[in-house]
Amino acid sequence: MPLLFGYLGLLNCVALAPVLVAMAALTHGRVFENFTPEVFGLVCAKGLFDNVLSDYLWARAVVLTTPTIATVGLSLTIPLAFLSDFAFNGLAPSAAAGCGAAGVVAGFVLVNVGDGNCESRCGFLLRQGGAAASAALRCLLCKGSTSR
């Protein structure tokens, strides 16, 4: 995963460096007049926390769960935005928006609950005993990772 993000950063630097040089040449450097070290630091901090951290955490969630759960989990930003608007600005969402947010949360819960096939398969293997019981223990220990 670090290699992927490293190549992504290298590709962005190589692809976007000519754009910055062209902007500086066309505007005779005026585009960067107000670009103080403080502004540069703030832009770098925003880029690190807004883009790099969020992408890294999403990729880590894909590794720890499944791509489906991680992607559906991103949709939880909608109800969380409603909650933060209510908490910090006192803005209550409309009834339709509230129902939509409840649907998003319900969808996330339903995706995480799953269909329970692994648990029923493991229970059947445990009842068989012997080699099947060891397979059931492996299934329970990896929590269904063999079915992914």
mmCIF file with all atom_site columns, all heavy atoms in Angstrom, residues 29-55:
data_model
loop_
_atom_site.group_PDB
_atom_site.id
_atom_site.type_symbol
_atom_site.label_atom_id
_atom_site.label_alt_id
_atom_site.label_comp_id
_atom_site.label_asym_id
_atom_site.label_entity_id
_atom_site.label_seq_id
_atom_site.pdbx_PDB_ins_code
_atom_site.Cartn_x
_atom_site.Cartn_y
_atom_site.Cartn_z
_atom_site.occupancy
_atom_site.B_iso_or_equiv
_atom_site.pdbx_formal_charge
_atom_site.auth_seq_id
_atom_site.auth_comp_id
_atom_site.auth_asym_id
_atom_site.auth_atom_id
_atom_site.pdbx_PDB_model_num
ATOM 1   N N   . GLY A 1 29 ? 5.421   35.017 -12.999 1.00 0.00 ? 29 GLY A N   1
ATOM 2   C CA  . GLY A 1 29 ? 5.630   34.796 -11.573 1.00 0.00 ? 29 GLY A CA  1
ATOM 3   C C   . GLY A 1 29 ? 4.609   35.452 -10.661 1.00 0.00 ? 29 GLY A C   1
ATOM 4   O O   . GLY A 1 29 ? 4.670   35.300 -9.452  1.00 0.00 ? 29 GLY A O   1
ATOM 5   N N   . ARG A 1 30 ? 3.663   36.224 -11.232 1.00 0.00 ? 30 ARG A N   1
ATOM 6   C CA  . ARG A 1 30 ? 2.682   36.912 -10.393 1.00 0.00 ? 30 ARG A CA  1
ATOM 7   C C   . ARG A 1 30 ? 1.704   35.974 -9.724  1.00 0.00 ? 30 ARG A C   1
ATOM 8   O O   . ARG A 1 30 ? 1.100   36.319 -8.715  1.00 0.00 ? 30 ARG A O   1
ATOM 9   C CB  . ARG A 1 30 ? 1.906   37.939 -11.216 1.00 0.00 ? 30 ARG A CB  1
ATOM 10  C CG  . ARG A 1 30 ? 2.733   39.177 -11.516 1.00 0.00 ? 30 ARG A CG  1
ATOM 11  C CD  . ARG A 1 30 ? 1.956   40.085 -12.359 1.00 0.00 ? 30 ARG A CD  1
ATOM 12  N NE  . ARG A 1 30 ? 1.776   39.353 -13.633 1.00 0.00 ? 30 ARG A NE  1
ATOM 13  C CZ  . ARG A 1 30 ? 1.172   39.822 -14.681 1.00 0.00 ? 30 ARG A CZ  1
ATOM 14  N NH1 . ARG A 1 30 ? 0.659   41.013 -14.662 1.00 0.00 ? 30 ARG A NH1 1
ATOM 15  N NH2 . ARG A 1 30 ? 1.066   39.110 -15.778 1.00 0.00 ? 30 ARG A NH2 1
ATOM 16  N N   . VAL A 1 31 ? 1.543   34.775 -10.278 1.00 0.00 ? 31 VAL A N   1
ATOM 17  C CA  . VAL A 1 31 ? 0.603   33.830 -9.694  1.00 0.00 ? 31 VAL A CA  1
ATOM 18  C C   . VAL A 1 31 ? 1.071   33.368 -8.313  1.00 0.00 ? 31 VAL A C   1
ATOM 19  O O   . VAL A 1 31 ? 0.268   32.971 -7.479  1.00 0.00 ? 31 VAL A O   1
ATOM 20  C CB  . VAL A 1 31 ? 0.370   32.631 -10.641 1.00 0.00 ? 31 VAL A CB  1
ATOM 21  C CG1 . VAL A 1 31 ? 1.563   31.703 -10.666 1.00 0.00 ? 31 VAL A CG1 1
ATOM 22  C CG2 . VAL A 1 31 ? -0.875  31.868 -10.262 1.00 0.00 ? 31 VAL A CG2 1
ATOM 23  N N   . PHE A 1 32 ? 2.376   33.483 -8.060  1.00 0.00 ? 32 PHE A N   1
ATOM 24  C CA  . PHE A 1 32 ? 2.932   33.032 -6.792  1.00 0.00 ? 32 PHE A CA  1
ATOM 25  C C   . PHE A 1 32 ? 3.342   34.174 -5.874  1.00 0.00 ? 32 PHE A C   1
ATOM 26  O O   . PHE A 1 32 ? 4.024   33.950 -4.892  1.00 0.00 ? 32 PHE A O   1
ATOM 27  C CB  . PHE A 1 32 ? 4.144   32.129 -7.039  1.00 0.00 ? 32 PHE A CB  1
ATOM 28  C CG  . PHE A 1 32 ? 3.828   30.903 -7.849  1.00 0.00 ? 32 PHE A CG  1
ATOM 29  C CD1 . PHE A 1 32 ? 4.389   30.725 -9.100  1.00 0.00 ? 32 PHE A CD1 1
ATOM 30  C CD2 . PHE A 1 32 ? 2.960   29.943 -7.373  1.00 0.00 ? 32 PHE A CD2 1
ATOM 31  C CE1 . PHE A 1 32 ? 4.101   29.608 -9.852  1.00 0.00 ? 32 PHE A CE1 1
ATOM 32  C CE2 . PHE A 1 32 ? 2.668   28.819 -8.116  1.00 0.00 ? 32 PHE A CE2 1
ATOM 33  C CZ  . PHE A 1 32 ? 3.234   28.655 -9.366  1.00 0.00 ? 32 PHE A CZ  1
ATOM 34  N N   . GLU A 1 33 ? 2.930   35.423 -6.147  1.00 0.00 ? 33 GLU A N   1
ATOM 35  C CA  . GLU A 1 33 ? 3.369   36.547 -5.303  1.00 0.00 ? 33 GLU A CA  1
ATOM 36  C C   . GLU A 1 33 ? 2.870   36.446 -3.870  1.00 0.00 ? 33 GLU A C   1
ATOM 37  O O   . GLU A 1 33 ? 3.586   36.797 -2.954  1.00 0.00 ? 33 GLU A O   1
ATOM 38  C CB  . GLU A 1 33 ? 2.940   37.925 -5.793  1.00 0.00 ? 33 GLU A CB  1
ATOM 39  C CG  . GLU A 1 33 ? 2.593   38.175 -7.058  1.00 0.00 ? 33 GLU A CG  1
ATOM 40  C CD  . GLU A 1 33 ? 2.291   39.597 -7.464  1.00 0.00 ? 33 GLU A CD  1
ATOM 41  O OE1 . GLU A 1 33 ? 1.246   40.100 -7.049  1.00 0.00 ? 33 GLU A OE1 1
ATOM 42  O OE2 . GLU A 1 33 ? 3.071   40.134 -8.236  1.00 0.00 ? 33 GLU A OE2 1
ATOM 43  N N   . ASN A 1 34 ? 1.652   36.036 -3.671  1.00 0.00 ? 34 ASN A N   1
ATOM 44  C CA  . ASN A 1 34 ? 1.078   35.957 -2.325  1.00 0.00 ? 34 ASN A CA  1
ATOM 45  C C   . ASN A 1 34 ? 1.293   34.590 -1.683  1.00 0.00 ? 34 ASN A C   1
ATOM 46  O O   . ASN A 1 34 ? 0.689   34.285 -0.668  1.00 0.00 ? 34 ASN A O   1
ATOM 47  C CB  . ASN A 1 34 ? -0.420  36.273 -2.363  1.00 0.00 ? 34 ASN A CB  1
ATOM 48  C CG  . ASN A 1 34 ? -0.680  37.688 -2.785  1.00 0.00 ? 34 ASN A CG  1
ATOM 49  O OD1 . ASN A 1 34 ? 0.126   38.576 -2.522  1.00 0.00 ? 34 ASN A OD1 1
ATOM 50  N ND2 . ASN A 1 34 ? -1.793  37.907 -3.458  1.00 0.00 ? 34 ASN A ND2 1
ATOM 51  N N   . PHE A 1 35 ? 2.121   33.795 -2.283  1.00 0.00 ? 35 PHE A N   1
ATOM 52  C CA  . PHE A 1 35 ? 2.364   32.439 -1.797  1.00 0.00 ? 35 PHE A CA  1
ATOM 53  C C   . PHE A 1 35 ? 3.496   32.466 -0.773  1.00 0.00 ? 35 PHE A C   1
ATOM 54  O O   . PHE A 1 35 ? 4.638   32.149 -1.052  1.00 0.00 ? 35 PHE A O   1
ATOM 55  C CB  . PHE A 1 35 ? 2.709   31.540 -2.987  1.00 0.00 ? 35 PHE A CB  1
ATOM 56  C CG  . PHE A 1 35 ? 2.398   30.088 -2.751  1.00 0.00 ? 35 PHE A CG  1
ATOM 57  C CD1 . PHE A 1 35 ? 1.105   29.665 -2.581  1.00 0.00 ? 35 PHE A CD1 1
ATOM 58  C CD2 . PHE A 1 35 ? 3.414   29.163 -2.714  1.00 0.00 ? 35 PHE A CD2 1
ATOM 59  C CE1 . PHE A 1 35 ? 0.819   28.334 -2.380  1.00 0.00 ? 35 PHE A CE1 1
ATOM 60  C CE2 . PHE A 1 35 ? 3.139   27.828 -2.504  1.00 0.00 ? 35 PHE A CE2 1
ATOM 61  C CZ  . PHE A 1 35 ? 1.837   27.408 -2.340  1.00 0.00 ? 35 PHE A CZ  1
ATOM 62  N N   . THR A 1 36 ? 3.163   32.849 0.447   1.00 0.00 ? 36 THR A N   1
ATOM 63  C CA  . THR A 1 36 ? 4.145   32.962 1.523   1.00 0.00 ? 36 THR A CA  1
ATOM 64  C C   . THR A 1 36 ? 4.434   31.573 2.106   1.00 0.00 ? 36 THR A C   1
ATOM 65  O O   . THR A 1 36 ? 3.689   30.629 1.845   1.00 0.00 ? 36 THR A O   1
ATOM 66  C CB  . THR A 1 36 ? 3.610   33.881 2.632   1.00 0.00 ? 36 THR A CB  1
ATOM 67  O OG1 . THR A 1 36 ? 2.447   33.267 3.198   1.00 0.00 ? 36 THR A OG1 1
ATOM 68  C CG2 . THR A 1 36 ? 3.257   35.261 2.092   1.00 0.00 ? 36 THR A CG2 1
ATOM 69  N N   . PRO A 1 37 ? 5.494   31.451 2.891   1.00 0.00 ? 37 PRO A N   1
ATOM 70  C CA  . PRO A 1 37 ? 5.759   30.154 3.537   1.00 0.00 ? 37 PRO A CA  1
ATOM 71  C C   . PRO A 1 37 ? 4.609   29.696 4.430   1.00 0.00 ? 37 PRO A C   1
ATOM 72  O O   . PRO A 1 37 ? 4.350   28.495 4.545   1.00 0.00 ? 37 PRO A O   1
ATOM 73  C CB  . PRO A 1 37 ? 7.030   30.415 4.350   1.00 0.00 ? 37 PRO A CB  1
ATOM 74  C CG  . PRO A 1 37 ? 7.710   31.529 3.636   1.00 0.00 ? 37 PRO A CG  1
ATOM 75  C CD  . PRO A 1 37 ? 6.618   32.381 3.072   1.00 0.00 ? 37 PRO A CD  1
ATOM 76  N N   . GLU A 1 38 ? 3.907   30.630 5.045   1.00 0.00 ? 38 GLU A N   1
ATOM 77  C CA  . GLU A 1 38 ? 2.762   30.251 5.875   1.00 0.00 ? 38 GLU A CA  1
ATOM 78  C C   . GLU A 1 38 ? 1.653   29.643 5.023   1.00 0.00 ? 38 GLU A C   1
ATOM 79  O O   . GLU A 1 38 ? 1.067   28.620 5.383   1.00 0.00 ? 38 GLU A O   1
ATOM 80  C CB  . GLU A 1 38 ? 2.230   31.479 6.623   1.00 0.00 ? 38 GLU A CB  1
ATOM 81  C CG  . GLU A 1 38 ? 1.052   31.169 7.519   1.00 0.00 ? 38 GLU A CG  1
ATOM 82  C CD  . GLU A 1 38 ? 0.477   32.414 8.170   1.00 0.00 ? 38 GLU A CD  1
ATOM 83  O OE1 . GLU A 1 38 ? 0.933   33.532 7.874   1.00 0.00 ? 38 GLU A OE1 1
ATOM 84  O OE2 . GLU A 1 38 ? -0.446  32.251 8.982   1.00 0.00 ? 38 GLU A OE2 1
ATOM 85  N N   . VAL A 1 39 ? 1.368   30.251 3.881   1.00 0.00 ? 39 VAL A N   1
ATOM 86  C CA  . VAL A 1 39 ? 0.343   29.723 2.981   1.00 0.00 ? 39 VAL A CA  1
ATOM 87  C C   . VAL A 1 39 ? 0.784   28.359 2.452   1.00 0.00 ? 39 VAL A C   1
ATOM 88  O O   . VAL A 1 39 ? -0.020  27.416 2.371   1.00 0.00 ? 39 VAL A O   1
ATOM 89  C CB  . VAL A 1 39 ? 0.074   30.712 1.824   1.00 0.00 ? 39 VAL A CB  1
ATOM 90  C CG1 . VAL A 1 39 ? -0.807  30.077 0.764   1.00 0.00 ? 39 VAL A CG1 1
ATOM 91  C CG2 . VAL A 1 39 ? -0.549  31.979 2.350   1.00 0.00 ? 39 VAL A CG2 1
ATOM 92  N N   . PHE A 1 40 ? 2.063   28.220 2.112   1.00 0.00 ? 40 PHE A N   1
ATOM 93  C CA  . PHE A 1 40 ? 2.575   26.943 1.632   1.00 0.00 ? 40 PHE A CA  1
ATOM 94  C C   . PHE A 1 40 ? 2.397   25.854 2.692   1.00 0.00 ? 40 PHE A C   1
ATOM 95  O O   . PHE A 1 40 ? 1.975   24.741 2.396   1.00 0.00 ? 40 PHE A O   1
ATOM 96  C CB  . PHE A 1 40 ? 4.052   27.066 1.247   1.00 0.00 ? 40 PHE A CB  1
ATOM 97  C CG  . PHE A 1 40 ? 4.663   25.791 0.763   1.00 0.00 ? 40 PHE A CG  1
ATOM 98  C CD1 . PHE A 1 40 ? 4.345   25.282 -0.478  1.00 0.00 ? 40 PHE A CD1 1
ATOM 99  C CD2 . PHE A 1 40 ? 5.543   25.088 1.570   1.00 0.00 ? 40 PHE A CD2 1
ATOM 100 C CE1 . PHE A 1 40 ? 4.905   24.097 -0.920  1.00 0.00 ? 40 PHE A CE1 1
ATOM 101 C CE2 . PHE A 1 40 ? 6.102   23.898 1.143   1.00 0.00 ? 40 PHE A CE2 1
ATOM 102 C CZ  . PHE A 1 40 ? 5.786   23.398 -0.107  1.00 0.00 ? 40 PHE A CZ  1
ATOM 103 N N   . GLY A 1 41 ? 2.688   26.169 3.941   1.00 0.00 ? 41 GLY A N   1
ATOM 104 C CA  . GLY A 1 41 ? 2.513   25.211 5.031   1.00 0.00 ? 41 GLY A CA  1
ATOM 105 C C   . GLY A 1 41 ? 1.062   24.819 5.219   1.00 0.00 ? 41 GLY A C   1
ATOM 106 O O   . GLY A 1 41 ? 0.744   23.648 5.445   1.00 0.00 ? 41 GLY A O   1
ATOM 107 N N   . LEU A 1 42 ? 0.162   25.796 5.131   1.00 0.00 ? 42 LEU A N   1
ATOM 108 C CA  . LEU A 1 42 ? -1.265  25.495 5.271   1.00 0.00 ? 42 LEU A CA  1
ATOM 109 C C   . LEU A 1 42 ? -1.788  24.645 4.118   1.00 0.00 ? 42 LEU A C   1
ATOM 110 O O   . LEU A 1 42 ? -2.602  23.733 4.323   1.00 0.00 ? 42 LEU A O   1
ATOM 111 C CB  . LEU A 1 42 ? -2.068  26.790 5.382   1.00 0.00 ? 42 LEU A CB  1
ATOM 112 C CG  . LEU A 1 42 ? -1.864  27.579 6.672   1.00 0.00 ? 42 LEU A CG  1
ATOM 113 C CD1 . LEU A 1 42 ? -2.567  28.929 6.605   1.00 0.00 ? 42 LEU A CD1 1
ATOM 114 C CD2 . LEU A 1 42 ? -2.359  26.783 7.863   1.00 0.00 ? 42 LEU A CD2 1
ATOM 115 N N   . VAL A 1 43 ? -1.312  24.915 2.903   1.00 0.00 ? 43 VAL A N   1
ATOM 116 C CA  . VAL A 1 43 ? -1.717  24.106 1.749   1.00 0.00 ? 43 VAL A CA  1
ATOM 117 C C   . VAL A 1 43 ? -1.219  22.674 1.908   1.00 0.00 ? 43 VAL A C   1
ATOM 118 O O   . VAL A 1 43 ? -1.944  21.711 1.639   1.00 0.00 ? 43 VAL A O   1
ATOM 119 C CB  . VAL A 1 43 ? -1.208  24.739 0.437   1.00 0.00 ? 43 VAL A CB  1
ATOM 120 C CG1 . VAL A 1 43 ? -1.341  23.784 -0.731  1.00 0.00 ? 43 VAL A CG1 1
ATOM 121 C CG2 . VAL A 1 43 ? -1.959  26.023 0.145   1.00 0.00 ? 43 VAL A CG2 1
ATOM 122 N N   . CYS A 1 44 ? 0.022   22.511 2.373   1.00 0.00 ? 44 CYS A N   1
ATOM 123 C CA  . CYS A 1 44 ? 0.572   21.164 2.587   1.00 0.00 ? 44 CYS A CA  1
ATOM 124 C C   . CYS A 1 44 ? -0.191  20.436 3.686   1.00 0.00 ? 44 CYS A C   1
ATOM 125 O O   . CYS A 1 44 ? -0.502  19.246 3.550   1.00 0.00 ? 44 CYS A O   1
ATOM 126 C CB  . CYS A 1 44 ? 2.055   21.243 2.931   1.00 0.00 ? 44 CYS A CB  1
ATOM 127 S SG  . CYS A 1 44 ? 3.082   21.665 1.527   1.00 0.00 ? 44 CYS A SG  1
ATOM 128 N N   . ALA A 1 45 ? -0.504  21.111 4.775   1.00 0.00 ? 45 ALA A N   1
ATOM 129 C CA  . ALA A 1 45 ? -1.243  20.481 5.870   1.00 0.00 ? 45 ALA A CA  1
ATOM 130 C C   . ALA A 1 45 ? -2.640  20.067 5.421   1.00 0.00 ? 45 ALA A C   1
ATOM 131 O O   . ALA A 1 45 ? -3.111  18.968 5.733   1.00 0.00 ? 45 ALA A O   1
ATOM 132 C CB  . ALA A 1 45 ? -1.332  21.430 7.065   1.00 0.00 ? 45 ALA A CB  1
ATOM 133 N N   . LYS A 1 46 ? -3.302  20.936 4.656   1.00 0.00 ? 46 LYS A N   1
ATOM 134 C CA  . LYS A 1 46 ? -4.625  20.595 4.146   1.00 0.00 ? 46 LYS A CA  1
ATOM 135 C C   . LYS A 1 46 ? -4.548  19.398 3.213   1.00 0.00 ? 46 LYS A C   1
ATOM 136 O O   . LYS A 1 46 ? -5.378  18.485 3.274   1.00 0.00 ? 46 LYS A O   1
ATOM 137 C CB  . LYS A 1 46 ? -5.252  21.768 3.412   1.00 0.00 ? 46 LYS A CB  1
ATOM 138 C CG  . LYS A 1 46 ? -6.684  21.487 3.001   1.00 0.00 ? 46 LYS A CG  1
ATOM 139 C CD  . LYS A 1 46 ? -6.980  22.091 1.644   1.00 0.00 ? 46 LYS A CD  1
ATOM 140 C CE  . LYS A 1 46 ? -8.377  21.850 1.205   1.00 0.00 ? 46 LYS A CE  1
ATOM 141 N NZ  . LYS A 1 46 ? -8.596  20.521 0.668   1.00 0.00 ? 46 LYS A NZ  1
ATOM 142 N N   . GLY A 1 47 ? -3.543  19.357 2.361   1.00 0.00 ? 47 GLY A N   1
ATOM 143 C CA  . GLY A 1 47 ? -3.384  18.225 1.455   1.00 0.00 ? 47 GLY A CA  1
ATOM 144 C C   . GLY A 1 47 ? -3.125  16.930 2.198   1.00 0.00 ? 47 GLY A C   1
ATOM 145 O O   . GLY A 1 47 ? -3.665  15.879 1.847   1.00 0.00 ? 47 GLY A O   1
ATOM 146 N N   . LEU A 1 48 ? -2.312  16.996 3.243   1.00 0.00 ? 48 LEU A N   1
ATOM 147 C CA  . LEU A 1 48 ? -2.018  15.785 4.011   1.00 0.00 ? 48 LEU A CA  1
ATOM 148 C C   . LEU A 1 48 ? -3.245  15.268 4.743   1.00 0.00 ? 48 LEU A C   1
ATOM 149 O O   . LEU A 1 48 ? -3.539  14.074 4.728   1.00 0.00 ? 48 LEU A O   1
ATOM 150 C CB  . LEU A 1 48 ? -0.891  16.049 5.008   1.00 0.00 ? 48 LEU A CB  1
ATOM 151 C CG  . LEU A 1 48 ? 0.509   16.093 4.427   1.00 0.00 ? 48 LEU A CG  1
ATOM 152 C CD1 . LEU A 1 48 ? 1.510   16.502 5.493   1.00 0.00 ? 48 LEU A CD1 1
ATOM 153 C CD2 . LEU A 1 48 ? 0.893   14.758 3.844   1.00 0.00 ? 48 LEU A CD2 1
ATOM 154 N N   . PHE A 1 49 ? -3.982  16.155 5.394   1.00 0.00 ? 49 PHE A N   1
ATOM 155 C CA  . PHE A 1 49 ? -5.122  15.704 6.193   1.00 0.00 ? 49 PHE A CA  1
ATOM 156 C C   . PHE A 1 49 ? -6.360  15.454 5.349   1.00 0.00 ? 49 PHE A C   1
ATOM 157 O O   . PHE A 1 49 ? -7.154  14.577 5.659   1.00 0.00 ? 49 PHE A O   1
ATOM 158 C CB  . PHE A 1 49 ? -5.441  16.711 7.301   1.00 0.00 ? 49 PHE A CB  1
ATOM 159 C CG  . PHE A 1 49 ? -4.433  16.662 8.412   1.00 0.00 ? 49 PHE A CG  1
ATOM 160 C CD1 . PHE A 1 49 ? -3.561  17.706 8.614   1.00 0.00 ? 49 PHE A CD1 1
ATOM 161 C CD2 . PHE A 1 49 ? -4.346  15.559 9.231   1.00 0.00 ? 49 PHE A CD2 1
ATOM 162 C CE1 . PHE A 1 49 ? -2.623  17.661 9.626   1.00 0.00 ? 49 PHE A CE1 1
ATOM 163 C CE2 . PHE A 1 49 ? -3.411  15.495 10.243  1.00 0.00 ? 49 PHE A CE2 1
ATOM 164 C CZ  . PHE A 1 49 ? -2.548  16.557 10.447  1.00 0.00 ? 49 PHE A CZ  1
ATOM 165 N N   . ASP A 1 50 ? -6.539  16.212 4.279   1.00 0.00 ? 50 ASP A N   1
ATOM 166 C CA  . ASP A 1 50 ? -7.754  16.081 3.490   1.00 0.00 ? 50 ASP A CA  1
ATOM 167 C C   . ASP A 1 50 ? -7.658  14.937 2.492   1.00 0.00 ? 50 ASP A C   1
ATOM 168 O O   . ASP A 1 50 ? -8.600  14.174 2.325   1.00 0.00 ? 50 ASP A O   1
ATOM 169 C CB  . ASP A 1 50 ? -8.040  17.396 2.763   1.00 0.00 ? 50 ASP A CB  1
ATOM 170 C CG  . ASP A 1 50 ? -9.423  17.438 2.156   1.00 0.00 ? 50 ASP A CG  1
ATOM 171 O OD1 . ASP A 1 50 ? -10.306 16.713 2.641   1.00 0.00 ? 50 ASP A OD1 1
ATOM 172 O OD2 . ASP A 1 50 ? -9.615  18.183 1.191   1.00 0.00 ? 50 ASP A OD2 1
ATOM 173 N N   . ASN A 1 51 ? -6.530  14.802 1.836   1.00 0.00 ? 51 ASN A N   1
ATOM 174 C CA  . ASN A 1 51 ? -6.419  13.814 0.769   1.00 0.00 ? 51 ASN A CA  1
ATOM 175 C C   . ASN A 1 51 ? -5.659  12.565 1.202   1.00 0.00 ? 51 ASN A C   1
ATOM 176 O O   . ASN A 1 51 ? -6.164  11.455 1.088   1.00 0.00 ? 51 ASN A O   1
ATOM 177 C CB  . ASN A 1 51 ? -5.733  14.428 -0.448  1.00 0.00 ? 51 ASN A CB  1
ATOM 178 C CG  . ASN A 1 51 ? -6.526  15.579 -1.007  1.00 0.00 ? 51 ASN A CG  1
ATOM 179 O OD1 . ASN A 1 51 ? -7.737  15.606 -0.913  1.00 0.00 ? 51 ASN A OD1 1
ATOM 180 N ND2 . ASN A 1 51 ? -5.842  16.547 -1.571  1.00 0.00 ? 51 ASN A ND2 1
ATOM 181 N N   . VAL A 1 52 ? -4.451  12.738 1.679   1.00 0.00 ? 52 VAL A N   1
ATOM 182 C CA  . VAL A 1 52 ? -3.598  11.589 1.969   1.00 0.00 ? 52 VAL A CA  1
ATOM 183 C C   . VAL A 1 52 ? -4.176  10.757 3.110   1.00 0.00 ? 52 VAL A C   1
ATOM 184 O O   . VAL A 1 52 ? -4.295  9.533  2.997   1.00 0.00 ? 52 VAL A O   1
ATOM 185 C CB  . VAL A 1 52 ? -2.159  12.052 2.294   1.00 0.00 ? 52 VAL A CB  1
ATOM 186 C CG1 . VAL A 1 52 ? -1.294  10.885 2.691   1.00 0.00 ? 52 VAL A CG1 1
ATOM 187 C CG2 . VAL A 1 52 ? -1.558  12.775 1.102   1.00 0.00 ? 52 VAL A CG2 1
ATOM 188 N N   . LEU A 1 53 ? -4.552  11.385 4.199   1.00 0.00 ? 53 LEU A N   1
ATOM 189 C CA  . LEU A 1 53 ? -5.062  10.639 5.348   1.00 0.00 ? 53 LEU A CA  1
ATOM 190 C C   . LEU A 1 53 ? -6.371  9.934  5.023   1.00 0.00 ? 53 LEU A C   1
ATOM 191 O O   . LEU A 1 53 ? -6.559  8.761  5.362   1.00 0.00 ? 53 LEU A O   1
ATOM 192 C CB  . LEU A 1 53 ? -5.231  11.561 6.552   1.00 0.00 ? 53 LEU A CB  1
ATOM 193 C CG  . LEU A 1 53 ? -5.670  10.885 7.846   1.00 0.00 ? 53 LEU A CG  1
ATOM 194 C CD1 . LEU A 1 53 ? -4.595  9.923  8.324   1.00 0.00 ? 53 LEU A CD1 1
ATOM 195 C CD2 . LEU A 1 53 ? -5.959  11.916 8.904   1.00 0.00 ? 53 LEU A CD2 1
ATOM 196 N N   . SER A 1 54 ? -7.275  10.617 4.341   1.00 0.00 ? 54 SER A N   1
ATOM 197 C CA  . SER A 1 54 ? -8.559  9.988  4.025   1.00 0.00 ? 54 SER A CA  1
ATOM 198 C C   . SER A 1 54 ? -8.369  8.819  3.058   1.00 0.00 ? 54 SER A C   1
ATOM 199 O O   . SER A 1 54 ? -8.996  7.764  3.224   1.00 0.00 ? 54 SER A O   1
ATOM 200 C CB  . SER A 1 54 ? -9.538  11.004 3.453   1.00 0.00 ? 54 SER A CB  1
ATOM 201 O OG  . SER A 1 54 ? -9.071  11.493 2.215   1.00 0.00 ? 54 SER A OG  1
ATOM 202 N N   . ASP A 1 55 ? -7.511  8.969  2.057   1.00 0.00 ? 55 ASP A N   1
ATOM 203 C CA  . ASP A 1 55 ? -7.254  7.858  1.135   1.00 0.00 ? 55 ASP A CA  1
ATOM 204 C C   . ASP A 1 55 ? -6.573  6.696  1.840   1.00 0.00 ? 55 ASP A C   1
ATOM 205 O O   . ASP A 1 55 ? -6.893  5.528  1.589   1.00 0.00 ? 55 ASP A O   1
ATOM 206 C CB  . ASP A 1 55 ? -6.401  8.320  -0.045  1.00 0.00 ? 55 ASP A CB  1
ATOM 207 C CG  . ASP A 1 55 ? -7.180  9.159  -1.024  1.00 0.00 ? 55 ASP A CG  1
ATOM 208 O OD1 . ASP A 1 55 ? -8.426  9.170  -0.938  1.00 0.00 ? 55 ASP A OD1 1
ATOM 209 O OD2 . ASP A 1 55 ? -6.544  9.810  -1.874  1.00 0.00 ? 55 ASP A OD2 1
#
